[in-house]
Amino acid sequence: MSSRRQIGGVIPPTREELRDIALQYHFELGDDETEFFYDLIDSLMPSYRRIAELPEPKPIVKYPRTPGYQPSLEDNPLRAWYWRCSVQGAPSGKLAGKTVALKDSICLAGVPMTNGSALLDGFMPDVDATVVERILDAGGHIIGKATCEDLCVSGGSITSVPAPVRNPHNHAYSAGGSSSGSAALVVNGDVDLTLGADQGGSIRIPASLSGAVGLKATYSLIPYTGVAPLELTVDHVGPICRTVEDVALLLEVVAGDDPMDPRQRHPVKTEEYTKALTGDVKDLTIGVVKEGFGWGEDSVETDAAVREAIAGFEKLGATVKEVSVPLHRDGTHVFTAILADGLFNQVVYGNGVGFGWKGYYDTKALDYFARSRRSVAHSFSHLYKLIILLGHYMQDRYNGHFYAKAQNQTRLVAASYDHVLQECDLLAMPTAAPQGKALPILEDPTPEEYVAEAFSYHLNTCPMDMTGHPSVSVPCAKVDGLPVGLMLTGRMWEDATVLRGAHAFESLGMYS
């Protein structure tokens, strides 16, 4: 009879478990083989025991803070605050006097973090994300965590725990997701600057629907260390603010090299982005991407509003012309396979961390999520259950083939944008698609409605997450009293040009 023997907190497998593991991988172990591998694995356990004994290096938490509190719903009418706190940074710097809110997928040591999900209820990080440290070093004052969608998988704002985030222009409508609270808070004037995260449009969609400016910077320009991931190759974190100038200022602070972030290829190219905001775009050519329009009947009015807004660039002296990027619409299909299969492997199988990359691994978050996904798996949203079922099936049935092929296709999609960007400086289209503006919040949605709302806005935004091109949403119009966003996309590492175009457009005053 085999027995468990715990070695320094590490429990080796029993003989029965070894036989079960073998069967999962389609081979059998006879008695002699079982004993052979049992003894061999036992001889390797001292290495794991020693790792358990070694101290774990962690980033230093430099600024004092207290845990803060969760505001009542009465004091939180937009449901956009998850947590209120006060973490004051350095006495001087670029962000001195500025208040900042963080999407609740961003680690702030000593302050609770749920990532919008009941699965992480009770989790408290013990490290600051790299972007947090940079904000505090620049004198920023972090005053809370912004509500986000359940594990960040929704373009609408109905999935967050404990309640949907309300659109600041009309509380009956969605604020967009998954950085829902970040956009709602800054538009409502509750905070000066916010950070969101974008893996399919989750900065630009809520910026568009709520009437903010949101930047998905060039992939890896802003380090992702300490932010809850979805999929390593599409993870982005970035600013959501009221103005392009504020976005550029926050970008200057948080962008740059971070040796702990495996997404970065060093050195990272940075600029003084605020100096690019000259208002002069006479030398720019704006390409109006025809494939970004006409997604369906629901986008007719918003498409027209965006086209009228783009024409405003001609008043500024820029050249505007229609262009075609045939692979733009295929980008949504390629993205689907990357996110579904990749998210399953990194977040579900890899317990939010994944394997095989060099950088900082947050083992506390890993352990907490691993326990929760087993003990309270019923709390997974419909969207995450979809990811688990689809991701496992595609991995098991097709051996990761479609994820691999989709990653290969990404280079072709990226090249199709790059080809047009040889003749244009910026590509323009509506931010949100197929729905160009916010949908009403359904108080008790069916599972079908819940999933449909989540996938109602991302068709134009998601391709840039996998290609990595910088992309900003700037408010350009209102339709039925709700904001509509214009998305500008530029060449890799030319974030300054993207912001220059957005800032010049902003000066036209077409959005009010």
Side-chain angles (χ1 to χ4, degrees):
M1 178 71 65
S2 59
S3 61
R4 286 209 181 274
R5 54 220 190 281
Q6 184 163 327
I7 304 174
V10 182
I11 302 173
T14 64
R15 294 171 176 84
E16 289 78 8
E17 285 172 327
L18 292 179
R19 293 190 185 100
D20 289 341
I21 292 169
L23 291 175
Q24 290 180 46
Y25 288 89
H26 312 291
F27 64 92
E28 296 184 17
L29 293 178
D31 291 343
D32 290 344
E33 280 187 306
T34 300
E35 204 63 31
F36 168 73
F37 287 114
Y38 179 84
D39 291 338
L40 187 58
I41 289 172
D42 191 60
S43 72
L44 298 174
M45 284 295 110
S47 295
Y48 292 91
R49 179 179 62 190
R50 182 56 182 151
I51 292 172
E53 294 170 348
L54 290 170
E56 183 171 352
K58 292 180 179 291
I60 297 172
V61 176
K62 298 164 58 176
Y63 298 91
R65 75 283 311 271
T66 57
Y69 66 95
Q70 187 168 32
S72 66
L73 294 182
E74 291 74 20
D75 294 330
N76 191 18
L78 295 180
R79 312 304 191 246
W81 287 112
Y82 164 61
W83 203 264
R84 298 301 307 270
C85 63
S86 178
V87 187
Q88 179 61 63
S92 63
K94 289 184 177 182
L95 300 185
K98 298 282 190 181
T99 57
V100 183
L102 308 171
K103 182 177 182 178
D104 192 40
S105 61
I106 300 172
C107 287
L108 180 62
V111 175
M113 169 179 157
T114 66
N115 201 15
S117 172
L119 273 81
L120 287 175
D121 186 34
F123 174 66
M124 187 176 291
D126 55 9
V127 297
D128 285 339
T130 299
V131 289
V132 169
E133 183 176 343
R134 291 179 179 179
I135 287 169
L136 295 173
D137 284 345
H141 181 195
I142 296 174
I143 62 171
K145 304 294 290 294
T147 305
C148 66
E149 297 311 297
D150 194 318
L151 297 176
C152 297
V153 185
S154 176
S157 66
I158 64 169
T159 73
S160 54
V161 175
V165 177
R166 306 288 173 168
N167 192 301
H169 294 269
N170 186 327
H171 293 192
Y173 283 77
S174 172
S178 63
S179 307
S180 44
S182 298
L185 287 173
V186 77
V187 171
N188 203 49
D190 295 321
V191 67
D192 296 323
L193 314 168
T194 67
L195 277 181
D198 196 312
Q199 286 101 345
S202 288
I203 286 173
R204 291 159 292 158
I205 291 169
S208 177
L209 271 55
S210 293
V213 180
L215 174 70
K216 184 211 75 65
T218 296
Y219 176 71
S220 86
L221 174 62
I222 305 173
Y224 203 85
T225 308
V227 185
L230 284 188
E231 209 280 333
L232 198 75
T233 66
V234 300
D235 288 334
H236 298 76
V237 61
I240 304 176
C241 305
R242 283 189 290 276
T243 67
V244 176
E245 185 176 4
D246 280 344
V247 165
L249 176 65
L250 187 50
L251 179 62
E252 281 185 5
V253 168
V254 297
D257 281 310
D258 176 15
M260 294 189 295
D261 185 2
R263 297 160 185 80
Q264 292 188 325
R265 294 182 179 180
H266 306 284
V268 170
K269 302 175 185 178
T270 62
E271 299 182 46
E272 290 188 74
Y273 300 100
T274 52
K275 290 186 175 180
L277 309 183
T278 63
D280 182 8
V281 291
K282 293 184 179 66
D283 60 331
L284 297 187
T285 298
I286 314 297
V288 185
V289 180
K290 69 177 184 180
E291 289 84 3
F293 295 81
W295 285 99
E297 293 181 5
D298 293 330
S299 66
V300 172
E301 276 190 277
T302 53
D303 278 359
V306 172
R307 285 190 179 275
E308 182 179 353
I310 295 170
F313 277 105
E314 295 178 322
K315 299 177 183 177
L316 297 167
T319 301
V320 177
K321 65 178 184 179
E322 184 159 302
V323 297
S324 176
V325 185
L327 287 182
H328 175 68
R329 294 206 172 194
D330 281 328
T332 62
H333 302 300
V334 176
F335 171 82
T336 295
I338 290 174
L339 187 67
D341 295 23
L343 190 156
F344 171 77
N345 279 285
Q346 181 160 350
V347 178
V348 182
Y349 183 71
N351 295 309
V353 173
F355 304 93
W357 51 269
K358 289 186 179 293
Y360 176 69
Y361 285 73
D362 190 336
T363 55
K364 182 177 182 180
L366 182 156
D367 292 339
Y368 199 98
F369 183 74
R371 289 192 299 268
S372 293
R373 77 174 183 86
R374 291 171 173 82
S375 61
V376 290
H378 59 276
S379 295
F380 275 119
S381 69
H382 295 306
L383 293 164
Y384 249 75
K385 289 175 182 175
L386 171 64
I387 293 293
I388 291 169
L389 295 171
L390 175 61
H392 177 90
Y393 174 79
M394 295 303 292
Q395 181 68 37
D396 187 62
R397 179 66 176 83
Y398 294 103
N399 312 303
H401 172 87
F402 288 98
Y403 175 85
K405 186 172 182 179
Q407 287 288 7
N408 290 337
Q409 290 293 124
T410 295
R411 292 193 294 276
L412 298 180
V413 179
S416 71
Y417 294 120
D418 290 336
H419 177 73
V420 179
L421 284 166
Q422 290 178 356
E423 60 182 87
C424 300
D425 301 286
L426 296 172
L427 304 179
M429 66 187 84
T431 305
Q435 292 288 337
K437 65 181 189 302
L439 290 167
I441 288 176
L442 301 175
E443 299 298 338
D444 188 23
T446 65
E448 291 81 6
E449 291 170 333
Y450 182 96
V451 172
E453 161 76 4
F455 295 139
S456 290
Y457 310 104
H458 72 293
L459 298 182
N460 279 342
T461 55
C462 66
M464 290 78 186
D465 284 282
M466 66 181 188
T467 66
H469 289 85
S471 186
V472 67
S473 179
V474 60
C476 72
K478 284 185 179 177
V479 173
D480 299 328
L482 295 167
V484 175
L486 160 65
M487 188 169 71
L488 299 174
T489 299
R491 303 181 190 99
M492 295 290 287
W493 305 109
E494 294 191 11
D495 300 72
T497 302
V498 171
L499 292 173
R500 176 158 68 105
H503 178 254
F505 174 81
E506 189 179 60
S507 71
L508 291 169
M510 297 184 71
Y511 172 81
S512 60

